[in-house]
Amino acid sequence: MNNKPLSKLYYNLVDDRILSVKNIDKEIKRRKLELETLHSSYERIEGIKSNRISKPTEWIIERYDSDVRLNSLFLLKESAEYTLEVLDDELGKMFYMRCYTHLSWEEIQNVFSFKR
C-alpha cells in the first residue's frame, strides 16, 4: 500500500467532492428542470418534417439520458452511497460528519481523539 501523503490540491478536490454530496439531490432536480425548460422554450415549426422526437415526454427522457452533467451527478450520488455502504462505522461517521454537519477535519479529529 502506498503511504505517500496526498498533495494539498488532491486533498481539496476530495474534500469538495465530499461536501457536494449533501446537495446532490438538489443539483439533480435543478439540472432536470433546466433540461425540461429547454423543451418548453423550443418553437415547433408546423408543416416541416424533422427527425426530432415530437412527444414532450420522450424528448425529455432522451435529454436526460444524453446529458453528461446529469449522468455525472447520478454517478456521484451512486458512488457516495456505495462508499457509505463499504465504510466501517467509524469512517462512515467521519464521512457523515464532514458531509452533512460541515465539521472541519480538525473538529472531527477532536471528536475521535486522533493524534496528528
Side-chain angles (χ1 to χ4, degrees):
M1 181 177 203
N2 189 357
N3 290 329
K4 288 172 68 175
L6 297 176
S7 71
K8 190 72 172 173
L9 178 65
Y10 186 77
Y11 174 80
N12 289 335
L13 178 66
V14 170
D15 203 37
D16 286 344
R17 285 292 179 199
I18 289 172
L19 293 174
S20 70
V21 169
K22 180 179 180 180
N23 297 320
I24 195 73
D25 288 327
K26 289 179 187 175
E27 289 293 320
I28 288 171
K29 288 178 185 177
R30 182 178 306 136
R31 185 61 188 154
K32 283 183 171 183
L33 183 61
E34 289 172 358
L35 294 171
E36 291 169 13
T37 306
L38 275 174
H39 180 69
S40 64
S41 64
Y42 171 71
E43 294 180 3
R44 184 177 173 173
I45 301 171
E46 295 294 328
I48 299 175
K49 289 187 176 184
S50 71
N51 60 353
R52 290 189 149 197
I53 297 173
S54 61
K55 295 181 181 177
T57 305
E58 292 174 4
W59 187 90
I60 291 171
I61 291 171
E62 183 226 333
R63 279 288 197 195
Y64 288 173
D65 286 344
S66 63
D67 188 67
V68 174
R69 174 72 180 141
L70 185 61
N71 288 324
S72 69
L73 290 170
F74 280 124
L75 285 174
L76 178 61
K77 181 179 179 177
E78 186 178 305
S79 298
E81 290 169 352
Y82 178 74
T83 300
L84 280 172
E85 287 176 14
V86 298
L87 291 176
D88 63 22
D89 289 339
E90 191 173 62
L91 289 174
K93 287 177 187 175
M94 287 181 201
F95 183 86
Y96 183 84
M97 292 170 100
R98 181 65 183 143
C99 179
Y100 294 99
T101 63
H102 292 285
L103 292 177
S104 70
W105 288 115
E106 289 77 20
E107 292 169 321
I108 294 170
Q109 178 182 356
N110 292 335
V111 169
F112 287 93
S113 302
F114 288 130
K115 295 179 184 176
R116 278 195 155 180

